[in-house]
Amino acid sequence: MVREPLDNSTPAALPVVAAEGEIDGCWVVRVRGEIDSDSVDPLFIAMWQAVAGHEVVVLEASAVTFADSSFLSLLIEMHQRTRLRVAAPAAAVTRLLRTAGVDRVIRTYPTLESALAAPPPSPPA
């Protein structure tokens, strides 16, 4: 019996967390690719670490190609724990937020720069 070598397998997917670090006092997490229940764990860990040490967390989401309810759940949880700002949301992210009806609650900004420059929200009256 002849078997094909395993070296012709498809390359591994890129990690969903592309980069993270502090910019202007905010912790920025850049995310990319398909975010679903199979790939959300590294983002989950990065976001929880960010929340533990920073008042403002910016999720730069311009390179997200797909997002499902696991990503939405994470965003809602982070929104409840920190000042979450979603910067440059890709169409998949915008569609998910609108469909779930949280686009008026979770703050989005057209660019990373605008998310970093945003003033803190006013306290409730």
Side-chain angles (χ1 to χ4, degrees), residues 2-123:
V2 177
R3 295 183 183 219
E4 294 292 322
L6 295 176
D7 62 356
N8 65 351
S9 62
T10 58
L14 293 172
V16 296
V17 177
E20 54 185 311
E22 188 169 323
I23 302 175
D24 297 337
C26 301
W27 193 258
V28 177
V29 177
R30 291 180 191 257
V31 64
R32 66 179 169 204
E34 295 184 2
I35 314 298
D36 58 24
S37 60
D38 291 332
S39 64
V40 77
D41 288 347
L43 178 59
F44 180 87
I45 292 166
M47 294 296 284
W48 273 98
Q49 290 172 341
V51 167
H54 298 85
E55 186 176 336
V56 177
V57 176
V58 178
L59 182 70
E60 200 283 339
S62 64
V64 173
T65 57
F66 173 81
D68 74 358
S69 61
S70 58
F71 180 70
L72 179 64
S73 295
L74 178 60
L75 292 184
I76 292 169
E77 179 105 20
M78 295 301 106
H79 169 74
Q80 294 171 340
R81 298 190 177 279
T82 191
R83 292 185 180 155
L84 175 66
R85 300 174 182 170
V86 179
V93 175
T94 301
R95 186 172 41 255
L96 180 66
L97 295 176
R98 281 190 186 141
T99 301
V102 298
D103 56 325
R104 293 188 179 129
V105 177
I106 295 178
R107 295 178 180 264
T108 61
Y109 300 84
T111 65
L112 176 59
E113 293 74 20
S114 63
L116 293 171
S122 302

